[in-house]
Amino acid sequence: MIHPDIESVIFSEEDIRARIAALGAEISRDYAGESVLLVAVLRGAALFIADLAREITVPVELDFMAVSSYGSSTKSSGVVRILKDLDELIEGRHVLVVEDILDTGLTLKYLLKNLASRKPASLDVITLLAKEGKQRVSISCRYMGFTCPDEFVVGYGLDFAERYRNLPYIGVLKPSAYQD
Ligand code: PRP
């Protein structure tokens, strides 16, 4: 049963599960003999980090950050405010930042600069989705789940006005769901 507000499913629950299993296996190989600290940026990446962590076989720790976008203007200014910082010190740790979606790249650019200043042993990014043709700054993502069309996508952590995060698939929202 597809939610009535969803126009089409882009990535099914099975697509997502299979891709995350493959990414988990790749990460487990790459970090063999090490432990990895997964850092998710709330809130959208919460579902992804939970499923990803279970597909990684090397020792994993989890930590979380919350950032505010100062309203919509931040997305263009690239100014991000940290609302919740990491609980862990990351100096000397292998840090993998977990994002649900890379859009303009401005959030990650800010975060990576901030985290790099804390001197981790390594600092890499995994994003489940990257929007095609939208990146305004160059972000090097070591791991990527899928590229996705520049549509209004929701589900599997992605929201519209905090709704639809719990859909097990990723789909395009019908315009009627966000237009009056
Ligand atoms: C989304 C996503 C990234 C950011 C990507 O978060 O989780 O953090 O936008 O956009 P950018 O590449 O243009 O910077 P959002 O602000 O929607 O918050 P949420 O995770 O709580 O939904």
Side-chain angles (χ1 to χ4, degrees), residues 41-45 67 69 75 80 99-108 111 135 157-159 162 165:
V41 184
L42 296 171
R43 286 172 260 187
V67 299
S69 44
K75 293 240 157 176
V80 173
E99 265 287 22
D100 51 344
I101 189 162
L102 175 64
D103 191 349
T104 63
L106 291 168
T107 305
L108 268 177
L111 275 180
Q135 279 83 68
L158 299 163
D159 73 309
E162 295 306 321
R165 291 195 199 270

Side-chain angles (χ1 to χ4, degrees), residues 108-153:
L108 268 177
K109 184 174 187 243
Y110 173 86
L111 275 180
L112 290 174
K113 189 172 169 215
N114 181 294
L115 294 175
S117 72
R118 307 183 199 189
K119 301 187 172 37
S122 66
L123 179 61
D124 288 283
V125 175
I126 179 167
T127 185
L128 182 61
L129 300 176
K131 276 202 170 175
E132 283 168 349
K134 282 292 292 289
Q135 279 83 68
R136 290 178 43 195
V137 287
S138 162
I139 299 285
S140 148
C141 279
R142 187 169 182 187
Y143 307 97
M144 188 191 298
F146 305 102
T147 54
C148 111
D150 185 20
E151 307 262 13
F152 204 141
V153 290

Side-chain angles (χ1 to χ4, degrees), residues 162-173:
E162 295 306 321
R163 292 187 61 201
Y164 312 107
R165 291 195 199 270
N166 60 327
L167 297 180
Y169 48 83
I170 294 166
V172 177
L173 195 58

Side-chain angles (χ1 to χ4, degrees), residues 24-92:
E26 201 181 334
I27 290 167
S28 303
R29 281 194 302 275
D30 291 351
Y31 289 84
E34 308 283 355
S35 64
V36 60
L37 178 65
L38 299 180
V39 170
V41 184
L42 296 171
R43 286 172 260 187
L47 282 76
F48 181 35
I49 194 175
D51 286 339
L52 179 67
R54 284 178 280 192
E55 297 290 348
I56 297 175
T57 52
V58 298
V60 162
E61 290 181 38
L62 307 180
D63 206 345
F64 298 89
M65 291 184 81
V67 299
S68 133
S69 44
Y70 282 119
S72 55
S73 60
T74 303
K75 293 240 157 176
S76 47
S77 67
V79 177
V80 173
R81 186 165 54 116
I82 295 177
L83 297 180
K84 182 217 169 295
D85 206 343
L86 297 174
D87 290 327
E88 302 292 326
L89 296 175
I90 62 168
E91 184 169 350

